[in-house]
Amino acid sequence: MKTPDKIVLEHAGALGDFLLAWPAFLSISRQFPGVPAYFAVRPSLARFLSPLASPCPPDIRRGLDARFHDNGWPDALKNVLVVRPGLAIRPEMTDSPDFVFLHGVVPGRWDSPRDLYRQGLARRGIAFAEDWRETFQVLFGRSRPIGDTVLLFPGAGHTDKCWAMDHFEALAGLIATYGCKPVFVLGPAELERCVAPKTGETLSPPSTEALSQALCAARCVVGPDCGPLHLAGMHGVPGVAIFGPTAPDQWGPDGLAVVTAGLPCSPCTGMTSGEFAANCLRPLSCLTGVSIAAVWERVQDLLSRSPARR
């Protein structure tokens, strides 16, 4: 691949999808040292690319917008390498050798988007940053538990990925009996949906930086297939991920234990951006079948192996 004049690291997804793409962004930035790099992502995700790139200047931002106007590749992006990891569908825009779309989902397969991005980069002669995990922790922090907090994440981007709140509340009771402090973490989606436990301490981090700080200080985390658990894994925080309709091999957070109901029909979807499992009753049996005892067994094991710092 020729050396561009500039690079744009672009992503349009939410936290979990973005974090799966982060190693690809690191790989691109290393492939072209000294080339000015910019990012175009959601404001809440900008901190994770700030060590690698700068915010897009206005002319490049206008060029990115102009790609969708069907007037050819914009002059503002001439010899600007635009790299966009996505999922299954490439955005509709003019073809250009300066636009690299990395497919993160292959229909009918359960490959991790991270592995597919690695393969996409390899086809273009770009070395994958195998030390991405260590680099992320150097830049943004690693697990350093303080006290006995266990963070519980009851929500997810799609409600059909969520374990029942009463299960979480029962788990919180077991954690408290064990001598640790369960704290429910509620993000913007949960606050909007009025998802909250009947009792117990809650936390709503105002930023991804605050979320990172809470994660790194926790003994462990528990939640469904969701962005914060991916962030926990990136920081090296131990935890338990509860999976139902989605595939742990595809979407499992790095380094976290996974609990499923073990149903033969699961996983049934590679993407949860739309409707799926149309013939299944709600709540999905692949989640209601995950017992409190099974999750608590994994949590208790983690707590026994991860003493807190005082």
Side-chain angles (χ1 to χ4, degrees):
M1 178 176 286
K2 68 175 183 177
T3 300
D5 294 337
K6 300 172 185 175
I7 300 168
V8 174
L9 308 176
E10 183 180 35
H11 197 276
L15 178 62
D17 295 341
F18 169 82
L19 291 173
L20 285 165
W22 193 87
F25 291 136
L26 177 64
S27 304
I28 291 287
S29 67
R30 287 181 175 175
Q31 181 73 17
F32 301 106
V35 174
Y38 305 99
F39 59 76
V41 297
R42 297 183 179 189
S44 61
L45 304 177
R47 66 178 287 257
F48 297 117
L49 289 181
S50 293
L52 311 179
S54 304
C56 276
D59 60 327
I60 291 183
R61 175 62 76 173
R62 287 192 292 269
L64 293 175
D65 294 339
R67 294 173 299 169
F68 301 97
H69 297 164
D70 201 25
N71 295 320
W73 193 250
D75 289 341
L77 300 182
K78 184 177 181 181
N79 207 29
V80 177
L81 178 63
V82 181
V83 181
R84 180 174 178 140
L87 294 181
I89 301 175
R90 180 189 185 277
E92 293 186 5
M93 62 178 69
T94 302
D95 286 330
S96 170
D98 291 329
F99 180 62
V100 173
F101 181 77
L102 299 174
H103 288 271
V105 170
V106 175
R109 290 167 50 179
W110 306 120
D111 305 71
S112 166
R114 187 185 299 117
D115 291 339
L116 293 174
Y117 297 149
R118 180 203 306 261
Q119 296 166 24
L121 292 175
R123 287 193 291 270
R124 295 167 174 82
I126 297 174
F128 191 76
E130 300 294 346
D131 63 340
W132 60 266
R133 184 183 302 99
E134 295 81 3
T135 301
F136 186 91
Q137 292 177 15
V138 167
L139 293 173
F140 305 110
R142 57 174 54 89
S143 175
R144 297 185 183 277
I146 300 172
D148 291 306
T149 299
V150 176
L151 297 180
L152 305 178
F153 292 84
H158 199 297
T159 56
D160 282 339
K161 297 193 293 183
C162 298
W163 206 38
M165 179 60 80
D166 60 350
H167 283 30
F168 270 110
E169 291 173 329
L171 179 65
L174 293 169
I175 291 168
T177 301
Y178 187 82
C180 292
K181 183 174 74 170
V183 176
F184 290 84
V185 184
L186 308 177
E190 290 72 63
L191 296 175
E192 182 178 340
R193 297 169 185 160
C194 298
V195 173
K198 295 182 180 68
T199 61
E201 183 175 342
T202 62
L203 173 69
S204 296
S207 64
T208 55
E209 183 173 9
L211 176 60
S212 287
Q213 292 171 353
L215 289 168
C216 289
R219 287 279 296 277
C220 72
V221 299
V222 184
D225 173 9
C226 65
L229 261 64
H230 282 284
L231 184 56
M234 299 279 277
H235 285 301
V237 179
V240 178
I242 303 164
F243 269 66
T246 53
D249 288 344
Q250 184 181 22
W251 300 109
D254 181 67
L256 272 64
V258 173
V259 179
T260 73
L263 299 184
C265 60
S266 181
C268 66
T269 181
M271 295 178 61
T272 55
S273 56
E275 297 300 320
F276 59 92
N279 296 323
C280 291
L281 297 176
R282 267 53 177 182
L284 296 175
S285 57
C286 55
L287 283 168
T288 59
V290 178
S291 70
I292 298 164
V295 176
W296 171 235
E297 180 180 2
R298 302 304 294 269
V299 172
Q300 193 171 11
D301 179 61
L302 291 177
L303 293 174
S304 69
R305 293 189 283 114
S306 61
R309 293 170 53 196
R310 301 291 180 179

